[in-house]
Amino acid sequence: MHINRFWAAILLGIPLIYLIVFFVTPLGMVVVDSFSNPAGELTLANYVTVLGEAYYWRVLGYTLWIALVTCVATLILGYPLAYYMSLIERRRAVRRLCFILILMPLFTSNIVRSFGWIVLLGREGLVNETLVLLGVVDRPLRLLSTEVAIIVGMIYVMLPFMVLAIASVLQNMNGSLREASRDLGATAFSTFLRVTLPLSAPGIVAGTLIVFTLSISSYVTPRIMSGGRSVVSSMLIYDQFMLVFNPFLGSAIAVVLLVTSFALIVAYTLLLERRPGRRAPS
């Protein structure tokens, strides 16, 4: 019994120590710095600046907007792909190939992928050349350093997370439920709305939470795709730490972003728990 407790303490203690050293401690230091000034005094001046100036609210709102659009777009694009991979395609080799193609971008740096989109979206890139060749536009469009470029790059980076989250639920779905729905006379569309879609809700929730939290804190893709013309909160935090050398204000911005994202996630989960038709646990 004592030996089992010893090994249980070891197995629990190692990850706990890791979290304390590499997560709790740095986060605590950021929180402390957000209430400090260069003289080492405790102050609320950093939060007065962040919460009192309209510029920081605009940057925060723009960050949330980019994350929301990315989340919705990846859901719209990712759900059909996950549905096809999990429920329509029956050949195991093709399904494996689809998963490999989805996972391959994750093995490449975000910097490399973002620069790849710069090549595609440039004035002489493939997208503009195709549009001009087809006669859609008379001259190349300015696609880079725009909000469209940021969203396109973010969707490309975040799409695998959405697809994998939804596909993992669809693959474990009991197929007999869909068959029973069809046997009872329901159409394929009705079966999807009444059976498949509700049962895949956990994957949708997981995917949207993952994509939103990653998007709201993304730095590399917005920085490269915007060309510095658009600013999100992560870029503002980086600039305060590395360019302006004001880690105290940067820490306050980081804490505000963290609290905001946490509050939105909690509100999202509470809204899902209280949605109509959901049974209360007995």
Side-chain angles (χ1 to χ4, degrees):
M1 181 65 68
H2 293 292
I3 296 178
N4 293 336
R5 290 181 178 178
F6 172 77
W7 284 110
I10 293 296
L11 294 175
L12 180 63
I14 293 176
L16 184 61
I17 293 174
Y18 179 87
L19 288 175
I20 292 175
V21 173
F22 295 102
F23 177 74
V24 177
T25 301
L27 181 60
M29 295 173 63
V30 170
V31 173
V32 171
D33 284 345
S34 69
F35 289 99
S36 305
N37 59 19
E41 302 170 343
L42 293 179
T43 179
L44 294 175
N46 299 317
Y47 287 100
V48 171
T49 301
V50 174
L51 300 177
E53 296 187 11
Y55 171 74
Y56 296 103
W57 284 106
R58 288 197 299 269
V59 172
L60 179 60
Y62 187 70
T63 303
L64 297 177
W65 167 251
I66 294 294
L68 178 61
V69 173
T70 301
C71 189
V72 174
T74 52
L75 177 59
I76 295 174
L77 296 175
Y79 195 99
L81 181 56
Y83 186 90
Y84 171 80
M85 293 165 50
S86 304
L87 301 180
I88 296 180
E89 182 57 57
R90 298 297 180 183
R91 292 170 293 181
R92 183 172 298 179
V94 177
R95 294 172 66 175
R96 288 179 178 176
L97 178 61
C98 291
F99 276 103
I100 291 174
L101 293 176
I102 292 296
L103 289 172
M104 280 183 62
L106 299 178
F107 294 97
T108 306
S109 170
N110 285 350
I111 299 177
V112 176
R113 286 183 282 175
S114 297
F115 276 109
W117 277 107
I118 289 179
V119 175
L120 291 175
L121 299 178
R123 287 190 174 273
E124 298 180 357
L126 179 62
V127 175
N128 269 316
E129 289 185 353
T130 302
L131 293 177
V132 172
L133 182 63
L134 295 176
V136 179
V137 295
D138 296 330
R139 54 185 178 181
L141 301 175
R142 188 177 72 86
L143 300 176
L144 290 177
S145 302
T146 63
E147 183 177 306
V148 174
I150 298 175
I151 293 175
V152 168
M154 293 290 291
I155 292 173
Y156 175 68
V157 171
M158 300 300 170
L159 186 60
F161 298 102
M162 182 68 74
V163 173
L164 294 177
I166 298 175
S168 64
V169 175
L170 291 176
Q171 285 183 335
N172 296 321
M173 185 182 300
N174 189 349
S176 61
L177 297 176
R178 298 170 60 243
E179 295 177 1
S181 175
R182 299 298 299 274
D183 292 340
L184 292 174
T187 62
F189 184 69
S190 179
T191 299
F192 171 76
L193 288 181
R194 296 178 178 272
V195 178
T196 306
L197 186 60
L199 291 177
S200 63
I204 296 176
V205 173
T208 51
L209 286 176
I210 293 172
V211 170
F212 183 80
T213 53
L214 292 177
S215 299
I216 203 174
S217 60
S218 179
Y219 169 79
V220 173
T221 302
R223 169 71 80 175
I224 295 177
M225 300 302 293
S226 70
R229 297 190 178 187
S230 301
V231 179
V232 295
S233 294
S234 58
M235 297 166 58
L236 198 60
I237 294 169
Y238 176 87
D239 291 344
Q240 290 295 325
F241 273 90
M242 306 303 297
L243 300 180
V244 184
F245 300 107
N246 188 357
F248 309 103
L249 183 59
S251 298
I253 300 173
V255 172
V256 170
L257 179 63
L258 177 63
V259 172
T260 303
S261 59
F262 181 76
L264 291 175
I265 292 172
V266 171
Y268 177 62
T269 54
L270 291 177
L271 181 63
L272 291 176
E273 291 179 356
R274 297 177 181 178
R275 71 181 186 271
R278 182 182 178 91
R279 294 182 179 179
S282 57

